Amino acid sequence: MSFSQLQWGVRGGRLIKQLLNGPQAVAFVPALALAAFWFGGEGLLVIVALGLPMLMFFSSPPAQTTAPISHGFLPELPIKNLEQHLEQILGDARSTGAVTACYLLHLDGPFPTAAAGEELRSAYLRNLRSCLRQSDLAGWTNGNTLVVAMAPNRRLDLDAAIQAARRFQTTLEDPVAAGGRLWHVSVCVGLAISTRLASHTDGTDMLNAAQLALQEARQNGASAIRTYSAKRHKTQQKSALPPSEAVAALENGGIRPWYQPQLCTETGRISGLEALARWSHPTRGLIAPAEFLPALQRGAALSRLGDCILYHACRDLAQWDKAGLNLPQVGVNFSEDELADPRLIERVRTTLDKFGLSPDRLRIEVTENVALSGAVSDAARSVTALSKLGCKIDLDDFGTGATALTALQNINVDRLKIDRSFVRRVDRDEAQRRLLAAILGMAERLGIETLAEGVESHGEHALVAQLGCTHVQGFGIARPMPGAQIPDWVNGQQARLAKLPRLGLVRRS
Ligand code: C2E
Ligand code: CA
Ligand code: CA
């Protein structure tokens, strides 16, 4: 039998089965009984009248004894139900020797609200479902995070689970049309697989484990995948950082600045470094500011953090000057509360003097909130005073607050640090490109310099430079690093630049 004959046979069989199972079958029974009586008499009538219902019975699919598993749920589904479901599949997996996994997929990107938002969310869920089996569960949790609870499977292991995570990620990162335009997201994945969980783990613990893995993935930038490991995450699961411990770390040198380089797009040279606070914790490892800033705030020690970072940043810059590294500037982040302290100006002046640095070597990074209450707020007054002193002012996270343009009226800004949300995938998204071009055009007309934050790919780097953005910073250039690594990085960058072909030196033969 040829392949096409086989296909026709299969299709014919399927058609007969559909005819026998659908509601139309009921209409055929009297017609067939009448035809049987007409052509074959009473004997055939009895056979058809009894045989046909029996044939329908045996060809129909088995009745479902349990309710089908809900294949996706609404955002408002209580988290308890998800935990119960995870608990059930964990139990099933353990009793059958199979493996199960829970994935949290965080979609990072601009999300529309209202109707287009719903359309987009449904489209993402549909795309995710296309990668799953009927028995797997998928749905939105709150915010921009999707969850997948994978049904127990004997063939699932860590490699297969990570491969599945990559498949989900690639599928969700495909552009999706909603509300008349295309949307792009980058997706971080946190994954908890039952083989890496303790034997007493319940549904709540499994969800927590996936959450910890997701948290770690998101700290690693766009499109990261992390798997929960009891050993690695054990320390993180402990209670929130106590303010007293954070304050003590400030005093004993546990918190220090790390530095992330910034490049000039025109020359490729280093135009500065941003000082970002890091806590080297003796048991928890390296802690990012998102985790310890709240503790310092509770301990009313934010201004001490400012002093500590300012001191070390100025000291390091002076040392790099001595070593001949030629680094133009260092940027320090100050919160609104720190800026509201009128003694800050004096502290900045004294620190600069101590290390023999002119004020224009220091960039003060402030957010739009500082200008929210107008030019006369304490914080805005400090910014004006720092600017008069000669420090450069960077407006951080530009575009994320409602006050973006008011900020430009209320404080003297030297440079806009354009938030990563306007930079992400700019090389691949036309609408994103237009928005960034508009921001850069406005800055140029106002005579303000620009820096694109969070540049992760070569494509993003090339496009922001092409659009006229004057500086770039991001993982694509370098991740934040300890001060001790800066000299090597700077020398490496100079060597990379020296290797680049120079225009004008190329001669035609
Ligand atoms: P920020 O000032 O917007 O700093 C940029 C953040 O983006 C840093 O996170 C940096 O590591 C991260 N980043 C850099 N390049 C990329 C990239 O390509 N992709 C992605 N996804 N992220 C990138 P970090 O160091 O965790 O700091 C977070 C925030 O904490 C900072 O945001 C700043 O607001 C605050 N912060 C950091 N250090 C200090 C400090 O000394 N004082 C105060 N008051 N706040 C600080
Ligand atoms: Ca900053
Ligand atoms: Ca920023």
Side-chain angles (χ1 to χ4, degrees):
M1 192 187 275
S2 73
F3 180 65
S4 63
Q5 279 173 321
L6 189 73
Q7 275 187 320
W8 277 110
V10 171
R11 275 189 211 154
R14 241 187 254 147
L15 189 68
I16 292 169
K17 218 170 171 182
Q18 277 169 9
L19 284 173
L20 286 173
N21 285 324
Q24 68 280 0
V26 180
F28 286 137
V29 176
L32 288 173
L34 203 63
F37 180 64
W38 188 267
F39 293 109
E42 274 180 24
L44 196 57
L45 171 68
V46 172
I47 293 171
V48 169
L50 291 177
L52 205 58
M54 280 170 77
L55 193 61
M56 284 166 65
F57 175 79
F58 286 114
S59 70
S60 64
Q64 275 178 321
T65 47
T66 52
I69 192 157
S70 136
H71 196 52
F73 45 79
L74 297 169
E76 63 269 22
L77 179 101
I79 209 79
K80 240 345 350 69
N81 292 19
L82 174 60
E83 290 171 351
Q84 276 165 6
H85 178 77
L86 289 173
E87 193 141 340
Q88 190 192 325
I89 57 173
L90 260 179
D92 292 350
R94 282 184 192 128
S95 59
T96 57
V99 176
T100 178
C102 171
Y103 297 80
L104 287 174
L105 304 125
H106 182 85
L107 279 58
D108 197 3
F111 260 71
T113 47
E118 277 317 300
E119 191 187 338
L120 191 61
R121 289 164 78 82
S122 310
Y124 279 127
L125 185 54
R126 221 176 17 252
N127 289 354
L128 179 61
R129 281 176 181 170
S130 69
C131 313
L132 299 172
R133 291 166 308 157
Q134 185 62 34
S135 47
D136 300 329
L137 183 120
W140 285 100
T141 64
N142 48 8
N144 293 352
T145 305
L146 282 155
V147 63
V148 171
M150 209 171 246
N153 181 341
R154 279 175 191 277
R155 276 175 300 178
L156 192 66
D157 60 14
L158 188 60
D159 280 349
I162 292 173
Q163 267 173 32
R166 283 210 193 96
R167 228 172 23 246
F168 302 157
Q169 189 183 54
T170 319
T171 304
L172 290 169
E173 286 187 345
D174 278 346
V176 165
R181 63 162 277 196
L182 280 181
W183 299 88
H184 300 271
V185 288
S186 61
V187 179
C188 280
V189 188
L191 141 71
I193 181 165
S194 56
T195 47
R196 283 198 161 192
L197 299 173
S199 56
H200 54 269
T201 306
D202 61 13
T204 311
D205 292 341
M206 191 181 200
L207 191 59
N208 281 342
Q211 256 154 6
L212 279 172
L214 178 63
Q215 198 177 314
E216 192 181 312
R218 291 185 64 194
Q219 278 164 7
N220 273 274
S223 304
I225 299 177
R226 289 292 178 276
T227 311
Y228 173 81
S229 139
K231 210 164 142 204
R232 208 173 63 245
H233 290 99
K234 206 168 55 194
T235 46
Q236 295 177 15
Q237 270 175 308
K238 287 182 192 157
S239 59
L241 292 160
S244 56
E245 203 185 331
V247 175
L250 260 184
E251 307 296 331
N252 63 29
I255 298 179
R256 283 276 188 272
W258 281 33
Y259 298 95
Q260 189 175 30
Q262 300 164 336
L263 298 185
C264 167
T265 48
E266 212 172 295
T267 61
R269 289 181 205 280
I270 302 164
S271 51
L273 300 162
E274 178 175 5
L276 293 158
R278 292 289 182 274
W279 181 356
S280 301
H281 194 280
T283 55
R284 295 182 188 216
L286 198 66
I287 307 181
E291 272 186 77
F292 65 79
L293 285 178
L296 286 177
Q297 202 154 20
R298 284 200 306 276
L302 264 189
S303 67
R304 266 190 271 175
L305 172 73
D307 286 348
C308 161
I309 302 298
L310 176 71
Y311 178 90
H312 285 100
C314 289
R315 195 194 63 174
D316 289 346
L317 189 62
Q319 268 177 6
W320 292 325
D321 281 355
K322 275 195 205 125
L325 281 190
N326 193 18
L327 293 166
Q329 288 167 333
V330 69
V332 175
N333 291 278
F334 283 121
S335 70
E336 202 183 342
D337 289 350
E338 289 171 84
L339 288 163
D341 181 351
R343 291 164 299 178
L344 178 73
I345 323 296
E346 203 37 52
R347 291 206 298 268
V348 169
R349 198 199 314 264
T350 324
T351 314
L352 286 168
D353 281 353
K354 182 175 171 63
F355 295 106
L357 297 170
S358 59
D360 61 353
R361 308 287 305 280
L362 183 67
R363 282 193 174 267
I364 308 287
E365 299 206 3
V366 302
T367 59
E368 293 158 8
N369 293 346
V370 165
L372 187 64
S373 46
V376 291
S377 73
D378 290 341
R381 256 202 292 256
S382 289
V383 176
T384 305
L386 286 165
S387 175
K388 280 200 182 127
L389 180 67
C391 299
K392 299 290 171 199
I393 309 298
D394 277 0
L395 191 56
D396 208 353
D397 307 337
F398 182 76
T400 54
T403 56
L405 298 178
T406 320
L408 298 181
Q409 269 181 333
N410 291 337
I411 55 174
N412 183 28
V413 172
D414 296 289
R415 186 166 69 173
L416 300 183
K417 292 194 80 181
I418 301 166
D419 190 70
R420 163 146 182 77
S421 53
F422 299 97
V423 174
R424 188 189 299 117
R425 300 179 72 100
V426 72
D427 51 327
R428 286 185 257 171
D429 184 336
E430 177 58 24
Q432 183 84 323
R433 196 187 64 76
R434 278 201 298 266
L435 199 55
L436 183 61
I439 297 174
L440 293 171
M442 179 203 70
E444 199 185 348
R445 260 174 239 130
L446 294 172
I448 301 175
E449 282 196 292
T450 45
L451 179 146
E453 281 197 296
V455 171
E456 291 189 352
S457 68
H458 290 303
E460 287 170 357
H461 188 159
L463 209 108
V464 296
Q466 204 181 317
L467 290 177
C469 184
T470 45
H471 301 92
V472 282
Q473 177 182 351
F475 293 168
I477 292 123
R479 285 179 179 258
M481 62 189 98
Q485 288 176 15
I486 288 291
D488 278 353
W489 194 89
V490 171
N491 291 332
Q493 175 66 11
Q494 272 157 5
R496 279 188 290 278
L497 270 182
K499 272 196 216 141
L500 287 180
R502 279 168 202 232
L503 291 174
L505 291 180
V506 184
R507 289 210 187 113
R508 289 185 189 194
S509 54

